[in-house]
Amino acid sequence: MASLFIADLHLDDSRPHITELFERYLAGDEVRQADALYILGDLVEAWVGDDDDAELPTRIARATQAVRASGRPVYFMPGNRDFLLGQDYADRAGLILLEDGVVHDLHGRPTLLMHGDTLCTDDVAYQAVRRQVRTPEWKANILAMPLEARRAFAAKARADSRAHTGATMESIMDVNADTVAQAMRGAGVTRLIHGHTHRPAVHEFTLDGQPAQRIVLGDWYEQGSVLRVTPDAVYLTGLPL
């Protein structure tokens, strides 16, 4: 059996076909027969709080809870778009929350799991904003706002993010090799799986004289993207609409 990994779905009402693809995939045999499903962040375009009464969070919870009910664990690691997702929604959706930077044993190989944004240390402006919005005080202030105000704030944040992305060199928004090596050394692993950069690939390299592997998950803008990790190999493939 395989451990399955997805990330960067950015589910949003503006792309209903991707939400439908997500629902179909989670209802299919591959997920229901897997060892586990891992979602490594940015499941949605924006998360405004566990009390969001919109249809999309309800549909997501229905899909993930059904996988959990089938006996398969569904792990969720918040990303930069859904870091406000908390235990209340996780309980509702049958999700097992993971801290960024956790190590899981995958078929006998310890593997570092990350969303990936903390690896992009060349993007100094982004990292400064990230530090600000991850403080307990900032999160508490945002969640204390009325729901509609939070939705308006999220819309502006998405617009600001698009502007920053458009004005920043692509190389700056990719991972920093030294930061990757430092993270892997600190975790004591030779394999890392992450998302965030939307640059799906399996990178083979040498870390302190040992063969190492960094696997980048793909986004779900034009199609799905799934990583399958088995005892013998890894398979990173697209998932057609």
Side-chain angles (χ1 to χ4, degrees):
M1 293 197 298
S3 300
L4 306 174
F5 290 82
I6 59 177
D8 301 296
L9 291 86
H10 293 269
L11 300 181
D12 185 74
D13 289 339
S14 65
R15 294 183 300 118
H17 57 293
I18 299 298
T19 301
E20 292 166 4
L21 176 62
F22 169 74
E23 291 172 322
R24 289 198 306 271
Y25 181 63
L26 264 62
D29 290 341
E30 181 172 59
V31 172
R32 301 305 174 90
Q33 296 172 5
D35 287 330
L37 173 66
Y38 291 82
I39 305 172
L40 298 188
D42 287 4
L43 174 58
V44 296
E45 183 69 9
W47 190 261
V48 298
D50 290 0
D51 59 338
D52 189 355
D53 57 3
E55 180 185 14
L56 182 58
T58 299
R59 290 176 64 177
I60 293 171
R62 185 183 304 121
T64 54
Q65 186 64 259
V67 176
R68 187 70 181 272
S70 73
R72 302 294 179 254
V74 183
Y75 295 101
F76 176 77
M77 177 181 292
N80 54 294
R81 299 300 185 107
D82 41 29
F83 64 91
L84 290 175
L85 193 152
Q87 193 62 56
D88 286 349
Y89 184 80
D91 291 341
R92 172 183 164 195
L95 302 174
I96 303 169
L97 293 180
L98 295 178
E99 293 287 338
D100 201 324
V102 70
V103 174
H104 270 208
D105 187 295
L106 300 178
H107 309 287
R109 183 170 180 179
T111 302
L112 176 61
L113 308 179
M114 305 180 73
H115 174 58
D117 57 334
T118 59
L119 301 171
C120 302
T121 49
D122 292 331
D123 193 346
V124 177
Y126 169 79
Q127 296 299 334
V129 171
R130 187 187 189 281
R131 286 192 294 272
Q132 176 189 7
V133 302
R134 296 303 179 98
T135 64
E137 295 80 10
W138 190 93
K139 290 192 284 187
N141 287 337
I142 287 295
L143 293 175
M145 295 168 58
L147 188 55
E148 285 305 317
R150 277 179 268 153
R151 287 174 175 151
F153 182 87
K156 183 180 184 303
R158 292 198 298 273
D160 291 345
S161 176
R162 287 191 291 269
H164 174 70
T165 299
T168 305
M169 292 175 56
E170 286 193 14
S171 59
I172 291 176
M173 294 184 293
D174 202 357
V175 300
N176 177 284
D178 291 337
T179 304
V180 168
Q182 182 179 9
M184 295 178 72
R185 286 192 193 102
V189 302
T190 57
R191 182 166 66 187
L192 163 65
I193 299 174
H194 71 84
H196 181 68
T197 64
H198 301 188
R199 300 179 183 189
V202 178
H203 300 277
E204 306 283 352
F205 60 103
T206 301
L207 178 66
D208 300 332
Q210 299 294 319
Q213 192 176 60
R214 178 173 68 91
I215 306 171
V216 188
L217 306 176
D219 64 69
W220 284 51
Y221 279 113
E222 303 298 330
Q223 62 174 358
S225 180
V226 180
L227 170 69
R228 301 162 179 89
V229 179
T230 72
D232 304 315
V234 296
Y235 306 91
L236 184 60
T237 61
L239 188 67
L241 293 173

